[in-house]
Each structure stands twice: as C-alpha cells, then as structure tokens.
Amino acid sequence: MATGQKLMRAIRVFEFGGPEVLKLQADVVVPRPKDHQVLIKVHVCGVNPVDTYIRSGTYSRKPLLPYMPGADVAGVIEAVGDNVSAFKKGDRVFTTSTVSGGYAEYALAADHTVYPLPEKLDFQQGAAIGIPYFTAYGAVLHSARVKAGESVLVHGASGGVGLAACQIARAYGLKVWGTAGTEEGRNIVLRNGAHEVFNHREANYIDKIKKFVGEKGIDVIIEMLANVNLSNDLNLLSYGGRVIVVGSRGHIDINLRDTIAKESSIIGVALYSSTKEEFQQFAAALQTGMEIGWMRPVIGSQYPLEKVAQAHENIIHSRGATGKMILVL
C-alpha cells in the first residue's frame, strides 16, 4: 500500500449470503473523486430492504465482488472531482446512489445523484430521503398517475417508503389510507398523512377495509409485499384501479379475471429504471416538499456500523417497521 493513503472503516461483502457476509474492515482506502464525482464524509447511511436482496445474491442486479453496500448517504462534501460546479467542500448533501457504497466513513457519488440537504433537516433525515422518497414519489405520481381527490391505500405504510408515500399522497390532495402491524406503527402512519389506518395483522382487516371504502373501491394501492397481498389488492380496487408493486419477496397465485371486469392494472416500480430527467423531476418536487414542510422523514431503528448484520436481519424479520432504518457513523 502506498504511503500517505487515507484509510477508513467500511463494510465489504466478499461473497453473497446471509447477514454474516457483511464484514467490517478498518483498512479500506478512501477513494478519490474522478470527473463529475464528489467524495462525501458520511454521517448517516440508510438501510433499505433492497440492500439485503443484493447481499443475498437474489436480486436482478448483482454487483461485482467484493463490493460495499449502501446507496442513501447524508453527510458533508469532502472533495470534488473535475468538472463539478454544483458542490464545494463543506456542503451538506444527501444521495440517491453511490459509486463506492455507503456503508463507509467516506463515499464516492456521481454529482448528478447528489442533492443539497436543507438546514431544517438533520443528517439522519437526509439519509432517509434517497430510495424511500424517490421511490414513493415515482410510485404515486409517475406510475399511478394519481389525480387529486382519488383514494390511495398504502399497504404496509409504517416503513420508510410507506411513510413517504403517505406524506406525498396527502400533499397532492388524495384520500390516504394505510395499514400497519403494530399500534406504534399505526399511530406513526396517522401522524404522517393517512386519514385512516388498518391493522394488517387482524384476520378480517380486508373486510374492514372493504366496508370502510364502500362499493367504489380504492383507486390506487401502493403495495410493499405483493407476494402476500396482491390477490386481496385486486379485489379492493375500483374500476380502472392500479396496484403499484414496490416490494415482493416471493411468488403468489392470482386470478387474472380479477383484473378484467375492473380493467385494473398491476404496475411494478424499480427506481433504478428511472431516467436522469425523471430523477431531476422527482428531486424538484421533493425539494419543494422540504421547503414547504410536508416532507418530514421519520427515523426508526438506528445502528452503529458494527451492528450492520443485525440491521439486515431486523429490516426483513422484525414484526413491524416504524420509520426509516439507518446506520450512524
């Protein structure tokens, strides 16, 4: 190793597998920003379910091994590469993606994936914006093409994406309903945009939703666990209704006749498929939400870098999310 190279602590993955493959190393070389890149001193990094799918090797996109996980970081610009004009050292920022990985003390990011973090939001909230809010905005406004006055059910609303979807839907004039599995989760959902919330651990909660919404049904369902809920979702929809699939952890059998009579749609959402222009559109709307105040990231469980394996275990197997999970460096 060349002398003078700065080292950092970081999580690296050398083989795909369970949470135990997340290895903390203290001798990782701090990367240097290249053309149109910035180096960020990471204060907080978000943990997302997709991080666990990539780590396990079951995701559609596999990184080359070894790699460092993490996309959503918040921190301060440490250095900028050539041809970067929008940022300077010392700027507070958040990201929607990283080049080098975010589970580290420093992270490289392409400058077009970096955004200013307003002073009214702290670094914990900054790390909760990237994947959750950009995914939620894309799902509600871009994929579902909602109109003010329509109804939306956020099925699994107490996690990072779910709460973001509730806040966005309420801000854009929708009737917002949510589900959550714990009392704490339901209270958080009600405080963040939902007009009504249902307990999806109750055996008859689908019947309660049907009774509440009446014969018309629900215009849009934002679905976090399609492999469990999709068949019920199709029965809850209105004529021309849309199920927007944000997450799924397996297979499900559905009766496609349920889509025919109502001319309903099932639409998948993958943030990485969005174009640069779409990211800019999403970012402009969310920056307005930050300024006006309807965008209020809710922080859930917090872990040090040493406990990252526990974080990965809990984000999949815990009995109820209550906000965005983060790693604090």
Side-chain angles (χ1 to χ4, degrees):
M1 184 180 296
T3 59
Q5 285 186 314
K6 191 173 181 179
L7 302 180
M8 66 177 181
R9 296 188 311 140
I11 300 297
R12 301 185 80 196
V13 175
F14 293 87
E15 61 179 323
F16 297 115
E20 69 280 357
V21 303
L22 298 161
K23 303 297 184 185
L24 175 60
Q25 297 189 311
D27 58 352
V28 179
V29 175
V30 174
R32 293 182 178 179
K34 298 178 182 176
D35 196 43
H36 289 290
Q37 291 182 343
V38 300
L39 179 68
I40 300 167
K41 181 173 175 53
V42 179
H43 287 236
V44 185
C45 182
V47 179
N48 295 290
V50 70
D51 297 348
T52 72
Y53 310 151
I54 295 170
R55 182 216 70 226
S56 68
T58 60
Y59 198 57
S60 56
R61 297 183 304 148
K62 290 184 182 180
L64 294 175
L65 295 170
Y67 79 97
M68 290 190 288
D72 298 342
V73 307
V76 175
I77 298 288
E78 177 75 11
V80 298
D82 292 336
N83 297 307
V84 175
S85 59
F87 302 101
K88 65 184 184 303
K89 182 172 180 174
D91 286 349
R92 301 170 80 251
V93 295
F94 71 92
T95 68
T96 54
S97 178
T98 63
V99 174
S100 60
Y103 292 12
E105 291 177 324
Y106 292 89
L108 273 185
D111 58 357
H112 70 272
T113 67
V114 180
Y115 306 88
L117 180 64
E119 289 292 339
K120 65 173 62 175
L121 297 182
D122 60 28
F123 290 118
Q124 284 91 340
Q125 291 173 305
I129 297 171
I131 287 178
Y133 276 86
F134 281 71
T135 298
Y137 186 91
V140 175
L141 276 297
H142 184 73
S143 297
R145 301 184 184 277
V146 296
K147 301 183 182 96
E150 285 193 312
S151 59
V152 59
L153 172 71
V154 182
H155 211 159
S158 63
V161 178
L163 291 170
C166 289
Q167 291 176 7
I168 292 165
R170 184 66 176 260
Y172 280 82
L174 278 72
K175 290 177 283 192
V176 185
W177 306 315
T179 77
T182 66
E183 184 176 0
E184 181 184 5
R186 293 190 292 279
N187 288 334
I188 288 174
V189 173
L190 283 172
R191 292 198 300 269
N192 284 278
H195 295 90
E196 188 71 31
V197 64
F198 302 89
N199 181 359
H200 57 221
R201 296 199 189 281
E202 287 184 356
N204 64 339
Y205 84 98
I206 295 294
D207 294 331
K208 287 187 176 181
I209 295 175
K210 282 183 178 178
K211 184 177 180 180
F212 181 82
V213 304
E215 289 186 13
K216 181 183 183 300
I218 301 167
D219 297 310
V220 173
I221 298 176
I222 308 296
E223 181 52 65
M224 308 299 169
L225 196 61
N227 58 296
V228 173
N229 300 320
L230 185 56
S231 184
N232 283 328
D233 291 341
L234 295 175
N235 285 307
L236 289 170
L237 286 179
S238 63
Y239 181 83
R242 295 85 81 196
V243 178
I244 311 300
V245 178
V246 173
S248 185
R249 298 177 186 173
H251 301 277
I252 185 172
D253 290 326
I254 61 170
N255 185 350
L256 288 174
R257 287 181 180 176
D258 293 336
T259 68
I260 295 171
K262 296 179 179 179
E263 295 192 347
S264 56
S265 305
I266 304 168
I267 303 168
V269 171
L271 184 60
Y272 65 80
S273 297
S274 301
T275 64
K276 259 189 202 183
E277 292 71 27
E278 286 167 347
F279 269 102
Q280 290 169 355
Q281 175 192 337
F282 299 173
L286 293 171
Q287 289 283 359
T288 300
M290 295 179 216
E291 293 166 9
I292 295 173
W294 58 254
M295 181 177 161
R296 307 175 307 276
V298 178
I299 304 306
S301 304
Q302 304 183 36
Y303 298 84
L305 207 54
E306 293 83 359
K307 299 289 187 182
V308 64
Q310 189 64 54
H312 269 225
E313 182 74 22
N314 291 350
I315 200 168
I316 296 300
H317 298 295
S318 67
R319 283 190 53 80
T322 51
K324 176 75 178 125
M325 182 181 288
I326 57 173
L327 296 174
V328 180
L329 283 87

